[in-house]
Amino acid sequence: MLLRSFRTVELLRRISTSSLSGYRNPPSFLQRYNGVLPHRVTTESPFPSHISRFCYSLSVNSQNENQHTTLSAPVSTRRVNNRKISRRRKAGKSPSISPAADAVDLALDSVVKIFTVSTSPSYFLPWQNKSQRESMGSGFVISGRKIITNAHVVADHSFVLVRKHGSSIKHRAEVQAVGHECDLAILVVDSEVFWEGMNSLELGDIPFLQEAVAVVGYPQGGDNISVTKGVVSRVEPTQYVHGATQLMAIQIDAAINPGNSGGPAIMGNKVAGVAFQNLSGAENIGYIIPTPVIKHFINGVEECGKYIGFCSMGVSCQPMENGELRSGFQMSSEMTGVLVSKINPLSDAHKILKKDDVILSFDGVPIANDGTVPFRNRERITFDHLVSMKKPDETALVKVLREGNEHEFSITLIPLQPLVPVHQFDQLPSYYIFAGFVFVPLTQPYLHEYGEDWYNTSPRTLCQRALKDLPKKAGQQLVIVSQVLMDDINTGYERLAELQVNKVNGVEVDNLRHLCQLIENCNTEKLRIDLDDESRVIVLNYQSAKIATSLILKRHRIASAISSDLLVEQNPETELASCSAV
């Protein structure tokens, strides 16, 4: 008996050790994020690993890549049941069926499989691309002969095909609009054959907690349509990994597997959202993009002809949950709000609000001390959601407490771009080469080239500027020396890579285009470039440097010293104004 007890204790100890082994030394916040797209079979990580604990679902371990569970039988075994359901509906009966079966009935003529060929640029060698990749995802038809899918399904695409259920023919598709911040894209197909028998799905409302949804798509592990069902667990703003944006998302307990991306989550007979990401290290926790975000994206494209973005007020706020903090800013016991700590100089709020203002309400909705506002039945959500749902150039009425006095201001909201872009999909990186110095604008994709742990392995100064600095003027960029292509003209300067360019011949550099103009229009014998807060200096003989540039380009087989986008005049403010006036 005693021996059996010892064996039982030993067995329990082993089970406990095995169960808790994953929690004894938990991976760091950065290590938990793998940043791999759910539809791509790749180990490359084009996304920042520090941004969020949320990640896509593809496991790098090939042994586990097909170990996902679908709660539906193969489509071929359901067709008889679907026909019976359809006949019973036509007869006016309301059969008792599961959400998964109902979803299959709706999805057979609406959900499509998407095949994408993509090519990403190299940011360390911006004049060339990386190798071509093939990937798959899902999408569904909406009114107007359009297909909705995820932006990451077609990011950096060079060729896109779609195939409807029950067909062996793939049809060419064109990407009409992409919103990388909200991870949504619209595809169009010109083929009339493709649209024969296709039905569009209708967008519904945000589901309530514990309502059943069914995620439909084409995950890996098979070629037929698949359905996983679950219930709504949570509705709140969530970090969108692909676009690094905080927008509303719906958490469900249905598995979102590789290939599900872009497929609809169906509730009843309408779409409740679009599957797009899951939670790393957790089982059956997926996220779908809710219909308000989808409608905001579609309406913006229809009104302006292209994707514009989601609005921002341009302020960073601090919660005011501490009583002494509220007292210090002369808030009464009935007042609640958040403290303004930083304001984007490019926002309209910069002209109106001040640091240490207390925002009490937004469009008449009181803001709690933790920054949340009422949402539906006894739920709360951050007031950023109210801001993001505004259209560009819309105004918001903001009540502010300033030095003990209440004020109401009307603030115009517009999409704001960070000083250092978070992503640069579907475009080639900019560069300019002179005397072997490769000048590029600092972007987060450039920092991602340092690997999955780029936050720790990339140059610390550049990383901090990328994450914290705000633009001071429109069109501003942080221009850096990416690398030095060695030549006699730049001998001794080879260690000046990865430094920011501040001035050219005493003139402050606004962006890469401005730097290019300053160098090309130089009319002095010597060219001086100040780097890194003027702590490092480059001096060149201008004419000798021009001659050396052509030789360096030939030696390294580089077709052009300047990227094509710098040769074309662009005015983003004019483009935005013309769209807003529509």
Side-chain angles (χ1 to χ4, degrees):
M1 184 67 180
L2 184 60
L3 179 60
R4 181 178 298 177
S5 299
F6 275 116
R7 288 178 176 173
T8 302
V9 172
E10 177 64 13
L11 178 60
L12 291 173
R13 187 188 66 80
R14 290 180 180 177
I15 293 174
S16 177
T17 302
S18 175
S19 301
L20 300 177
S21 62
Y23 299 93
R24 287 186 169 182
N25 295 306
S28 67
F29 182 76
L30 301 176
Q31 292 171 333
R32 286 201 303 271
Y33 170 68
N34 58 27
V36 182
L37 295 177
H39 68 284
R40 299 190 178 196
V41 185
T42 174
T43 58
E44 295 181 5
S45 175
F47 304 114
S49 56
H50 78 288
I51 291 176
S52 169
R53 59 195 177 97
F54 304 103
C55 72
Y56 296 99
S57 57
L58 178 59
S59 172
V60 177
N61 186 350
S62 60
Q63 295 177 351
N64 297 327
E65 67 180 12
N66 292 328
Q67 294 180 3
H68 57 270
T69 303
T70 56
L71 301 183
S72 66
V75 174
S76 58
T77 64
R78 288 187 175 270
R79 288 179 178 170
V80 175
N81 293 333
N82 290 334
R83 295 193 188 100
K84 290 180 181 178
I85 292 170
S86 299
R87 286 198 295 269
R88 293 174 70 179
R89 284 179 174 167
K90 291 179 181 178
K93 300 178 182 179
S94 56
S96 177
I97 58 175
S98 68
D102 196 19
V104 170
D105 195 29
L106 284 171
L108 290 181
D109 297 325
S110 303
V111 180
V112 299
K113 191 170 186 177
I114 300 174
F115 304 83
T116 304
V117 178
S118 58
T119 306
S120 301
S122 169
Y123 288 88
F124 281 169
L125 303 173
W127 49 86
Q128 66 184 37
N129 288 330
K130 297 178 182 178
S131 59
Q132 179 175 283
R133 295 180 297 177
E134 297 181 359
S135 56
M136 293 176 291
S138 305
F140 63 94
V141 176
I142 61 172
S143 61
R145 287 194 168 189
K146 297 175 182 177
I147 298 173
I148 288 288
T149 187
N150 283 142
H152 71 253
V153 172
V154 295
D156 292 324
H157 67 278
S158 56
F159 198 74
V160 180
L161 296 171
V162 296
R163 190 188 70 195
K164 59 184 181 179
H165 174 70
S167 174
S168 60
I169 302 174
K170 299 175 183 177
H171 301 267
R172 179 72 185 274
E174 297 292 337
V175 179
Q176 183 186 64
V178 179
H180 291 289
E181 288 82 3
C182 58
D183 202 0
L184 290 170
I186 297 176
L187 309 183
V188 292
V189 179
D190 292 333
S191 173
E192 292 295 331
V193 176
F194 171 81
W195 293 107
E196 292 178 0
M198 295 296 288
N199 297 320
S200 61
L201 294 179
E202 185 180 351
L203 300 179
D205 299 320
I206 302 175
F208 286 92
L209 301 181
Q210 289 300 303
E211 283 199 279
V213 295
V215 178
V216 186
Y218 292 87
Q220 290 181 350
D223 198 42
N224 277 335
I225 203 169
S226 172
V227 179
T228 55
K229 68 177 181 179
V231 297
V232 175
S233 307
R234 183 182 292 140
V235 180
E236 65 180 4
T238 298
Q239 194 79 21
Y240 282 39
V241 177
H242 177 69
T245 308
Q246 191 92 356
L247 294 172
M248 179 187 284
I250 301 173
Q251 178 183 319
I252 60 176
D253 66 357
I256 296 179
N257 296 300
N260 270 128
S261 295
I266 297 176
M267 182 181 66
N269 60 353
K270 294 184 179 180
V271 174
V274 178
F276 76 116
Q277 67 187 34
N278 78 348
L279 180 60
S280 176
E283 294 183 3
N284 293 346
I285 296 182
Y287 293 86
I288 61 176
I289 303 171
T291 51
V293 177
I294 302 171
K295 292 175 181 177
H296 188 279
F297 166 71
I298 295 174
N299 293 338
V301 172
E302 290 177 349
E303 292 176 6
C304 297
K306 62 179 181 179
Y307 172 72
I308 296 300
F310 286 75
C311 288
S312 171
M313 197 157 66
V315 297
S316 298
C317 297
Q318 176 185 342
M320 301 198 71
E321 298 176 284
N322 183 275
E324 292 299 325
L325 179 64
R326 294 194 298 272
S327 175
F329 285 91
Q330 305 178 43
M331 294 178 65
S332 66
S333 58
E334 297 82 13
M335 289 182 178
T336 60
V338 290
L339 182 67
V340 175
S341 56
K342 188 183 294 185
I343 308 175
N344 191 319
L346 302 186
S347 66
D348 187 51
H350 188 263
K351 308 171 187 175
I352 300 172
L353 299 182
K354 297 181 179 180
K355 188 179 184 301
D356 292 343
D357 280 349
V358 179
I359 301 178
L360 303 176
S361 67
F362 182 89
D363 273 346
V365 181
I367 300 175
N369 292 323
D370 62 353
T372 62
V373 294
F375 176 67
R376 302 195 310 188
N377 182 27
R378 298 176 63 185
E379 297 177 67
R380 299 194 68 84
I381 194 170
T382 59
F383 86 97
D384 292 337
H385 171 67
L386 302 180
V387 179
S388 64
M389 289 296 101
K390 288 282 192 177
K391 294 181 180 180
D393 287 333
E394 268 194 310
T395 59
L397 186 64
V398 179
K399 181 184 287 187
V400 169
L401 180 68
R402 178 181 296 170
E403 298 177 352
N405 299 316
E406 294 187 25
H407 305 272
E408 284 192 346
F409 300 112
S410 180
I411 298 177
T412 302
L413 305 177
I414 59 173
L416 295 172
Q417 301 302 322
L419 175 61
V420 177
V422 176
H423 56 76
Q424 283 199 313
F425 298 107
D426 306 322
Q427 58 180 305
L428 296 174
S430 302
Y431 71 91
Y432 174 63
I433 303 174
F434 185 79
F437 296 94
V438 181
F439 301 100
V440 300
L442 179 61
T443 64
Q444 283 199 26
Y446 173 85
L447 297 175
H448 299 164
E449 296 281 14
Y450 286 90
E452 293 186 4
D453 194 24
W454 64 268
Y455 183 77
N456 293 316
T457 58
S458 62
R460 176 55 49 192
T461 303
L462 298 183
C463 187
Q464 291 299 322
R465 289 173 179 170
L467 299 177
K468 294 183 178 181
D469 287 4
L470 293 174
K472 297 179 181 178
K473 60 179 74 173
Q476 183 182 0
Q477 292 177 324
L478 296 184
V479 181
I480 64 172
V481 178
S482 171
Q483 60 178 305
V484 181
L485 306 177
M486 287 306 300
D487 186 77
D488 292 337
I489 195 70
N490 53 45
T491 300
Y493 293 141
E494 60 270 13
R495 295 186 179 181
L496 297 184
E498 300 174 344
L499 297 178
Q500 181 183 348
V501 179
N502 289 318
K503 295 181 179 180
V504 173
N505 285 344
V507 180
E508 290 191 4
V509 174
D510 293 333
N511 49 48
L512 185 60
R513 185 187 299 276
H514 186 214
L515 177 138
C516 178
Q517 293 171 348
L518 291 174
I519 293 179
E520 292 294 324
N521 298 329
C522 177
N523 54 12
T524 59
E525 179 183 358
K526 299 293 184 180
L527 175 70
R528 172 175 172 147
I529 302 175
D530 291 279
L531 306 175
D532 201 26
D533 297 329
E534 303 182 33
S535 61
R536 297 289 187 273
V537 178
I538 297 172
V539 177
L540 300 168
N541 181 287
Y542 183 66
Q543 293 300 327
S544 300
K546 288 187 67 175
I547 296 172
T549 299
S550 59
L551 297 176
I552 293 171
L553 295 177
K554 184 177 180 180
R555 186 184 308 135
H556 289 271
R557 302 180 183 89
I558 302 173
S560 175
I562 184 171
S563 57
S564 58
D565 62 301
L566 296 180
L567 299 174
V568 181
E569 291 294 333
Q570 297 175 340
N571 191 340
E573 292 183 350
T574 303
E575 293 180 3
L576 181 59
S578 62
C579 178
S580 301
V582 174

